[in-house]
Amino acid sequence: MGADEEAEGVRRILQQAVVRSVGRAVGMGVVEFTGPGGEELGLHIQCPFRFVHDDRVLLGSQDMKYPQKGAGPNAFDNFRTVYDERAQLLNNLLTKAGPRVESVDLGKAGDLTLSWGPGVRLEVFPDCSGREEAWRVLIRGGAHHGYPPGIV
């Protein structure tokens, strides 16, 4: 599948999806959505990413490196990092607001930006020159699309 087909598949899956939750599976970012038809959707991110509101970073992939105050040496394994704490706060807001993805933008070098109102976006930016999977968009039990094209 070519890059244009991959991009169109990603747009088709995520456009108007409800952003449901943010979390992680070890060091991989996980964002869950509900599609317009009720289908379960996911975005698995294995490269740098951040959630931004207007001009402020709300949550970034690097936050996984920093333990919460008093979390101890096993903070990462016990899901007690700054990332985990901020993801929970973001999830509380997502549950109340139920935002829908308003735009899906893909760049030529694999950057992916999802936007929803008011002023919130998820920015994903691959930083590896090799053929390593940077991110994948999926319908549970169905289609998978990712970057680089053809890797999924």
Side-chain angles (χ1 to χ4, degrees), residues 6-27:
E6 287 279 359
E8 189 50 42
V10 169
R11 282 187 194 94
R12 189 174 51 254
I13 290 170
L14 293 177
Q15 192 69 42
Q16 291 301 306
V18 174
V19 187
R20 208 171 62 227
S21 68
V22 176
R24 67 179 174 96
V26 189

Side-chain angles (χ1 to χ4, degrees), residues 3 47 106-112 124-129 134-135 147-149:
C47 65
L106 289 100
K108 297 228 182 261
D111 53 303
L112 170 65
V124 179
F125 32 101
D127 68 344
C128 177
S129 61
W135 54 262
Y147 185 84

Side-chain angles (χ1 to χ4, degrees), residues 1-7 10 131-136 144-152:
M1 185 177 297
D4 290 340
E5 293 166 320
E6 287 279 359
V10 169
R131 295 257 327 140
E132 298 292 325
E133 182 177 328
W135 54 262
R136 140 185 333 220
H144 287 229
H145 299 279
Y147 185 84
I151 196 126
V152 175

Side-chain angles (χ1 to χ4, degrees), residues 21 32 36 54 58 65 83 127 137 141:
S21 68
E32 295 180 328
D54 293 330
L58 300 174
K65 291 183 175 182
Y83 180 92
D127 68 344
V137 170

Side-chain angles (χ1 to χ4, degrees), residues 34-112:
T34 301
E39 59 275 33
E40 291 184 29
L41 312 174
L43 170 58
H44 296 171
I45 313 167
Q46 299 175 60
C47 65
F49 63 94
R50 64 187 182 182
F51 289 84
V52 178
H53 180 254
D54 293 330
D55 60 354
R56 180 173 172 240
V57 176
L58 300 174
L59 173 68
S61 52
Q62 289 293 311
D63 291 333
M64 290 183 209
K65 291 183 175 182
Y66 305 106
Q68 294 174 25
K69 198 173 215 171
N74 295 323
F76 183 82
D77 294 336
N78 294 329
F79 290 85
R80 300 228 20 239
T81 67
V82 170
Y83 180 92
D84 300 307
E85 181 178 46
R86 291 188 179 162
Q88 186 57 54
L89 292 171
L90 187 54
N91 286 336
N92 291 341
L93 295 172
L94 293 172
T95 298
K96 291 175 187 170
R100 288 191 181 273
V101 175
E102 296 170 356
S103 69
V104 179
D105 298 308
L106 289 100
K108 297 228 182 261
D111 53 303
L112 170 65

